[in-house]
Amino acid sequence: MTERDVLDPERWRWRRLWRFGVGFVWLELQSLVFAIAIFAALAITSVVELPIPRYDALLLFALLLTVVLWATGWETTREVGVILAFHLIGLGLELFKVSVGSWVYPDEAWSKVGGVPLYSGFMYAAVGSYIVQAWRRFDLRVTGFRLWPMTLLAVAAYANFFTHHWIPDLRWLIAAGFLIELRGTLVHFTVREPRYRMPLVLSFLAIGLALWFAENAATLLGAWAYPDQLVAWTMVHVGKVGSWSLLVSLSFVIVAALKHLEGVLDGREDDKPSVVVTRRRERAQRRAEARREREDQGPESGQEQGSQDRSLET
């Protein structure tokens, strides 16, 4: 079956959009089980009086949720390991940001370390859970994705969340690097039976936007608070969309590394790469052919040169 481009205007006809939308939303909801459960816990604990501090209850719930999803097979053991990695990476960021006053956790709890409740890492873990679940349920693949350049950019994006407090903020330079590196990268996925493709950078922006909406909901529910939200809640600045998109890049690279080991990173046989990638491959092939020709001609050229030298000696 021919692969379909999500950005093709033909896809935006009402009947096709409806069929695609229903299937897409259903798979998204399945992929978001962990995140939806965490938000449900935030909502319930914001209105229900508990016998223990709220943040401690959220930590216990998140731990129980992880065990249940693993025991029921919803998350594999390897996926739980990825989620743990996200928890630790997120917790490290939280400890630093709270220490410099970027945001605060106003409620008291036994499970707070350095002003950060340990449940907070599970909000980052929810992002990791979504990506690994979506990868499996959408049969996701990527073409034109180079793991090492993306890893370097993702690490730089994560480091910038720390370093911009002392040196100039490099997020726009790093974002430009992502745009250049991802200019030919496509993500391929299945909804119902048809296969679709779209630019990976657009996926990063879409997830970043969704996380910005989630951040507004989370701060409204008192998950944490920015300094300007301590007196009365206000909407999170829209500039955070870019920050979340950069953070998503790190999340995606971690999962991509796992999928590379599992052999399910690169596109399937019927996943057509972008024109940029096709041209890149053609140039690489021409260079390889030219190199082989030089190698094949090398010994003959050497023999001819040796014969000429012996003739001169004679």
Side-chain angles (χ1 to χ4, degrees):
M1 183 177 292
T2 303
E3 193 177 32
R4 303 171 180 179
D5 191 342
V6 171
L7 300 182
D8 185 352
E10 289 291 324
R11 307 267 22 106
W12 295 97
R13 293 184 179 181
W14 174 247
R15 179 175 295 180
R16 291 179 176 179
L17 184 62
W18 172 258
R19 179 176 174 79
F20 170 82
V22 171
F24 182 83
V25 169
W26 173 238
L27 291 174
E28 284 284 289
L29 289 174
Q30 293 180 69
S31 303
L32 286 166
V33 164
F34 192 100
I36 291 172
I38 292 293
F39 266 95
L42 285 172
I44 292 172
T45 57
S46 68
V47 295
V48 174
E49 187 173 348
L50 301 170
I52 62 174
R54 182 193 184 196
Y55 293 159
D56 298 327
L58 288 170
L59 174 61
L60 293 175
F61 173 79
L63 289 170
L64 179 62
L65 175 64
T66 302
V67 171
V68 169
L69 292 179
W70 171 76
T72 57
W74 194 267
E75 305 272 11
T76 67
T77 301
R78 186 172 291 180
E79 288 170 350
V80 170
V82 172
I83 291 171
L84 175 62
F86 279 101
H87 182 280
L88 296 176
I89 290 171
L91 196 60
L93 182 61
E94 289 287 321
L95 287 167
F96 174 78
K97 287 294 188 179
V98 168
S99 70
V100 297
S102 296
W103 54 78
V104 297
Y105 290 88
D107 296 349
E108 294 297 325
W110 296 322
S111 59
K112 287 180 78 171
V113 177
V116 178
L118 297 181
Y119 94 88
S120 63
F122 282 100
M123 291 186 285
Y124 295 87
V127 177
S129 174
Y130 163 73
I131 294 178
V132 295
Q133 287 288 324
W135 205 297
R136 175 152 44 91
R137 298 182 185 282
F138 283 92
D139 190 17
L140 192 148
R141 300 287 192 278
V142 288
T143 53
F145 184 88
R146 299 189 296 181
L147 187 58
W148 282 112
M150 282 294 296
T151 299
L152 293 176
L153 285 167
V155 171
Y158 182 72
N160 187 70
F161 286 110
F162 297 84
T163 60
H164 80 86
H165 290 277
W166 304 293
I167 65 175
D169 192 345
L170 302 177
R171 73 181 65 189
W172 296 114
L173 182 62
I174 297 170
F178 274 114
L179 291 175
I180 294 171
E181 174 59 29
L182 294 174
R183 68 189 184 281
T185 305
L186 297 177
V187 57
H188 308 259
F189 57 97
T190 301
V191 176
R192 298 182 188 272
E193 292 183 2
R195 193 77 171 153
Y196 297 89
R197 65 176 179 269
M198 65 184 292
L200 182 58
V201 68
L202 184 60
S203 299
F204 285 178
L205 291 174
I207 297 174
L209 180 62
L211 289 172
W212 176 72
F213 281 113
E215 183 179 34
N216 277 283
T219 53
L220 181 62
L221 293 172
W224 71 90
Y226 289 102
D228 60 346
Q229 295 175 325
L230 291 175
V231 176
W233 181 84
T234 58
M235 184 173 289
V236 178
H237 192 276
V238 71
K240 289 287 185 178
V241 174
S243 299
W244 279 114
S245 298
L246 289 176
L247 194 58
V248 166
S249 69
L250 176 63
S251 306
F252 192 89
V253 165
I254 293 173
V255 178
L258 170 64
K259 298 306 176 181
H260 176 70
L261 294 175
E262 295 177 348
V264 291
L265 172 63
D266 298 324
R268 304 188 322 192
E269 291 183 2
D270 54 344
D271 290 341
K272 184 179 178 182
S274 66
V275 174
V276 173
V277 173
T278 301
R279 291 174 178 171
R280 185 188 300 164
R281 290 176 179 175
E282 290 174 350
R283 289 195 297 268
Q285 185 176 1
R286 287 196 296 268
R287 287 194 297 268
E289 290 174 353
R291 185 167 55 252
R292 285 195 296 269
E293 289 178 1
R294 289 194 300 269
E295 291 173 353
D296 292 340
Q297 294 173 359
E300 296 177 0
S301 300
Q303 291 175 3
E304 293 176 0
Q305 184 64 41
S307 299
Q308 293 174 2
D309 292 341
R310 285 192 296 272
S311 298
L312 291 173
E313 291 175 0
T314 305

